[in-house]
Amino acid sequence: MPIPYTKLVIEHFKNPHNVGEIPDADVKVTEGSPACGDMITLYLKIDPETKKIVDVKFKSYGCASNIATASIITDLVKGKTVEEAKNITWKDAAEALGGLPPVKVHCSVLAADALHSAVELYLEKNGLVREKEPTTVDKVYERLSHVMNPETGIDIVKSRIVKSVIVNSGVVEIVLGIGENSQFADNIKEEILERLQYLWDVKEIKVIFKE
Amino acid sequence: MIYFDNASSTKPDPEVVKEMSDFALEFYAIPSSIFSHSLGQAVQDKIQEARDYIANKLGVSGNEIVFTSSGTESNNLAIKGFAYANKNKGKHIVTSKIEHISVTESVKRLEREGFEVTYVGVDKQGFINLNELKDSLRDDTILVTVQLANHEVGTIQNLKEISKLVKEKGIALHIDGAVAIPYTKLNLKETGIDLLTISPHKFYGPKGIGILYVKSGTKIEKLLDGGFNEFNLRAGHENTPAIIGAKKAFELWDDSFVTHLREIKIYLYERLLKEIPDVELNGTLDNSLPHILNVTFKYIEGESIALRLDFEGVGVTTGSACYSRNLQASHVLLAMGKSHEDSHGSIRFSLSKYNTKEEIDYTIEKLKEIVDDLRRISPLLGGK
């Protein structure tokens, strides 16, 4: 076995649940991209009265942990309200799968991200979110706390890789305490850009490596 | 297990293992030519015999053959050892963008230590761009280090042209032949190579042994300090049973292996192309190693394919980021101009003399199901 997956991960990988599309979905999101190696499209059908997720389907371009996490997360959200679904994390999915190898956390986060984005989008669409807020240092830190250090599976804020964050009229400057040539530098930078580039008031993101 | 990962390592020939085992039990002393007991001298004779035998196969002299612990160590010793010993002549080194990690990491260390390195690009099939190579050579270039053939796609470099360009300028040439020798022939004298890495476990020999050919008169600095072993180029007790095993691997090598390998490789490729849609070759079929075939299955990810094949008892590798420790897609495929997607969906089949057409037939049947399954759940097809 190239990677130490649990039996449950392999079961879900071999026979994933809820695969497919929902043509009349209330919300459909795609997270990740083929370039970063993993991509998920998630479809939700939501009861407008009860706000319960009545149907969920996904399609995945990705590795085993990506497929398995998407499979279990779709199992977990079925029948839940959107508010409940918002609180389901990749950790819940990973636990439900009996654990995931740390190096694979990166791939499994995507399914949870897709779920959260889908719920956010649904809320936005239906006028259920507050006004756009300006991007603050705290907000940037919050987003960075979703970026994993693939080596440890611990996010780059908690593992103190992020040294400083400055936000100044649309320019976000992030200093990382790792070398530009370190094993995961490119990967982490790519993730940071993905997390921040769509914030409505962010014009430029500078990632600086300082060992 | 149907094992198609022979470019990583092969199953040693049983005769190799037998010789090593017999040798290990009988000739356990350290090899010593003088000032030793008779067992040490007997071991020394055996090692010298192996050294001379391998040298003879390569058309060189026994005192040009250095035994190390691996292909990686041979590459380290060749590159760093040469750079340290010749830094007074210049501090510029040239390599390619598709080298093995042991070469890339060695030159990267030298970069950190003040050397300058130029990484020459390759074309779509993985051939080093000769004009770029020519232009990269400078007055202070001391070493060019490139592989004989690529470990992921099998493309064999045009060594004649490369050595002509390099030797014309009086620059030293290190060739990493780890995955290529003896699958492709190489004339050491004619090409003027100064340093050559060989890895016996790639051709049914044992692991734990590497060979470095060091042309007589080539100055290199030892990296492992200690005793005076291996012409004072590499301290530490030689892995004597593995040296004997390496010699046996050379003895057992038969050029008919190449014919068999090429035949089953083409058979595999043709069936893939005919029976599975959207399969693309990475590399070339001409001037490629007879045992390496690298293809991309479009719209799906390689780790999933490799894992599903593993469940069916078939062992392959992939250039997908998901499969690698650093989550980076294959640098070889990217340097060849392949997209990240193509790299993620790439599978390397590397064959051995033990593989059969029947094994390939089984693999094709399983692959059809796997590729079909994974494409059915892939969002890239847009419902296709």
Side-chain angles (χ1 to χ4, degrees):
Chain A
M1 192 72 55
I3 283 153
Y5 288 125
T6 66
K7 267 190 182 156
L8 210 53
V9 172
I10 287 164
E11 258 171 51
H12 277 271
F13 166 57
K14 279 170 110 169
N15 296 301
H17 306 170
N18 309 308
V19 169
E21 295 169 10
I22 303 175
D24 61 336
D26 292 302
V27 59
K28 171 196 167 191
V29 294
T30 295
E31 287 271 334
S33 73
C36 76
D38 286 293
M39 182 172 149
I40 273 191
T41 305
L42 189 73
Y43 302 80
L44 297 180
K45 186 88 191 137
I46 294 158
D47 185 310
E49 297 295 312
T50 61
K51 299 280 182 288
K52 273 188 180 165
I53 297 168
V54 289
D55 198 12
V56 51
K57 290 257 189 296
F58 81 95
K59 283 202 155 187
S60 159
Y61 163 87
C63 61
S65 64
N66 179 283
I67 293 169
T69 314
S71 170
I72 199 124
I73 233 168
T74 51
D75 276 354
L76 289 175
V77 301
K78 232 182 209 174
K80 298 264 184 357
T81 66
V82 286
E83 286 301 324
E84 285 166 340
K86 239 168 106 178
N87 295 325
I88 293 174
T89 62
W90 67 267
K91 249 187 181 165
D92 298 328
E95 269 165 29
L97 286 169
L100 282 168
V103 71
K104 287 297 187 176
V105 166
H106 152 93
C107 324
S108 63
V109 165
L110 206 58
D113 284 351
L115 174 66
H116 298 147
S117 303
V119 169
E120 240 171 56
L121 191 63
Y122 176 80
L123 295 176
E124 260 177 34
K125 262 181 161 179
N126 292 280
L128 301 168
V129 270
R130 292 157 302 191
E131 288 298 297
K132 282 176 182 170
E133 285 170 11
T135 298
T136 59
V137 170
D138 283 350
K139 175 96 174 170
V140 173
Y141 266 108
E142 193 276 321
R143 294 283 166 114
L144 294 179
S145 72
H146 291 277
V147 177
M148 296 295 152
N149 174 3
E151 198 168 23
T152 58
I154 299 169
D155 74 72
I156 61 172
V157 175
K158 205 177 279 169
S159 56
R160 299 180 192 279
I161 288 174
V162 180
K163 293 298 174 198
S164 68
V165 172
I166 299 167
V167 180
N168 191 0
S169 47
V171 180
V172 180
E173 190 181 296
I174 299 156
V175 176
L176 300 179
I178 52 171
E180 196 162 2
N181 294 321
S182 88
Q183 202 182 9
F184 296 105
D186 288 351
N187 184 258
I188 288 172
K189 184 176 175 178
E190 194 180 315
E191 281 257 317
I192 289 173
L193 298 183
E194 267 175 32
R195 296 282 164 174
L196 297 173
Q197 63 189 342
Y198 299 115
L199 287 171
W200 66 280
D201 59 343
V202 169
K203 282 180 247 148
E204 194 187 349
I205 303 155
K206 292 180 183 166
V207 177
I208 296 156
F209 294 97
K210 245 185 215 166
E211 212 164 349
Chain B
M1 161 69 77
I2 295 177
Y3 183 74
F4 290 146
D5 191 18
N6 292 283
S8 296
S9 194
T10 55
K11 175 183 168 181
D13 193 287
E15 281 191 57
V16 166
V17 177
K18 170 93 175 41
E19 285 233 353
M20 286 173 66
S21 157
D22 291 349
F23 182 90
L25 290 171
E26 195 180 340
F27 296 97
Y28 42 79
I30 61 165
S32 315
S33 52
I34 44 169
F35 312 123
S36 180
H37 36 71
S38 45
L39 187 58
Q41 283 167 11
V43 175
Q44 171 66 20
D45 287 348
K46 291 272 183 193
I47 296 307
Q48 190 58 44
E49 205 183 301
R51 205 185 295 280
D52 289 340
Y53 182 86
I54 293 168
N56 186 42
K57 280 267 169 185
L58 298 168
V60 298
S61 134
N63 58 18
E64 295 173 307
I65 298 296
V66 176
F67 293 116
T68 68
S69 68
S70 58
T72 288
E73 192 194 328
S74 291
N75 283 340
N76 271 263
L77 181 58
I79 296 166
K80 291 190 285 193
F82 186 88
Y84 294 149
N86 294 278
K87 61 183 175 209
N88 57 325
K89 292 182 192 154
K91 294 189 106 181
H92 181 236
I93 294 167
V94 175
T95 187
S96 91
K97 288 183 177 164
I98 60 165
E99 296 301 313
H100 185 260
I101 189 165
S102 58
V103 169
T104 312
E105 291 297 315
S106 290
V107 297
K108 271 196 195 160
R109 175 175 296 280
L110 290 172
E111 263 183 315
R112 292 197 292 274
E113 292 171 0
F115 286 83
E116 241 186 287
V117 179
T118 302
Y119 300 84
V120 174
V122 298
D123 69 11
K124 276 185 177 163
Q125 297 182 315
F127 292 105
I128 288 172
N129 187 323
L130 293 176
N131 286 330
E132 210 181 310
L133 175 65
K134 194 178 175 188
D135 293 343
S136 75
L137 302 176
R138 314 189 314 210
D139 290 342
D140 64 338
T141 308
I142 52 171
L143 178 69
V144 173
T145 170
V146 291
Q147 58 194 182
L148 178 51
N150 184 262
H151 50 295
E152 289 187 27
V153 295
T155 304
I156 301 172
Q157 298 303 333
N158 186 345
L159 194 59
K160 261 192 184 160
E161 285 302 313
I162 291 172
S163 75
K164 215 176 107 192
L165 289 174
V166 174
K167 300 315 292 180
E168 243 172 33
K169 289 242 174 188
I171 297 163
L173 180 59
H174 166 242
I175 296 295
D176 173 11
V179 80
I181 288 176
Y183 294 87
T184 180
K185 290 282 161 235
L186 163 84
N187 188 324
L188 276 171
K189 287 275 176 270
E190 212 173 75
T191 45
I193 292 168
D194 301 276
L195 298 150
L196 172 73
T197 295
I198 296 172
S199 181
H201 75 100
K202 307 282 192 189
F203 55 99
Y204 320 111
K207 292 162 235 314
I209 176 95
I211 296 168
L212 182 63
Y213 158 72
V214 182
K215 189 166 82 185
S216 178
T218 309
K219 248 173 62 185
I220 59 173
E221 195 174 302
K222 75 201 261 194
L223 303 178
L224 280 183
D225 292 318
F228 301 101
N229 320 58
E230 296 299 306
F231 314 106
N232 198 21
L233 290 177
R234 197 253 179 199
H237 184 4
E238 291 89 347
N239 186 350
T240 45
I243 291 172
I244 297 305
K247 173 188 178 237
K248 191 70 188 172
F250 270 104
E251 263 177 47
L252 293 172
W253 180 262
D254 188 324
D255 286 338
S256 71
F257 298 162
V258 172
T259 317
H260 169 71
L261 289 167
R262 178 134 351 246
E263 194 183 310
I264 57 173
K265 167 175 152 172
I266 299 298
Y267 179 70
L268 169 62
Y269 179 60
E270 284 179 349
R271 284 206 63 184
L272 282 173
L273 213 58
K274 227 179 280 169
E275 295 172 47
I276 299 177
D278 297 317
V279 174
E280 272 177 17
L281 176 71
N282 296 317
T284 171
L285 288 184
D286 312 314
N287 300 316
S288 70
L289 291 175
H291 63 306
I292 296 183
L293 180 71
N294 192 313
V295 296
T296 290
F297 297 92
K298 304 284 265 186
Y299 318 120
I300 51 180
E301 192 277 322
E303 191 216 55
S304 290
I305 305 170
L307 202 53
R308 287 281 301 264
L309 276 175
D310 190 49
F311 297 155
E312 305 292 348
V314 181
V316 297
T317 59
T318 163
S320 170
C322 289
Y323 205 65
S324 68
R325 284 280 302 149
N326 62 0
L327 298 179
Q328 301 290 319
S330 155
H331 69 289
V332 173
L333 296 176
L334 295 181
M336 286 163 60
K338 299 279 172 184
S339 68
H340 276 85
E341 288 107 292
D342 285 346
S343 183
H344 291 315
S346 70
I347 295 285
R348 179 185 74 179
F349 301 88
S350 53
L351 312 168
S352 82
K353 63 175 180 178
Y354 309 112
N355 290 132
T356 62
K357 275 190 178 170
E358 286 70 35
E359 289 180 324
I360 289 173
D361 289 335
Y362 172 86
T363 304
I364 294 282
E365 290 317 312
K366 291 297 167 194
L367 258 174
K368 281 191 212 167
E369 292 168 23
I370 292 167
V371 170
D372 205 45
D373 271 3
L374 292 173
R375 282 190 178 153
R376 208 167 36 236
I377 71 168
S378 169
L380 291 181
L381 282 163
K384 219 201 255 182

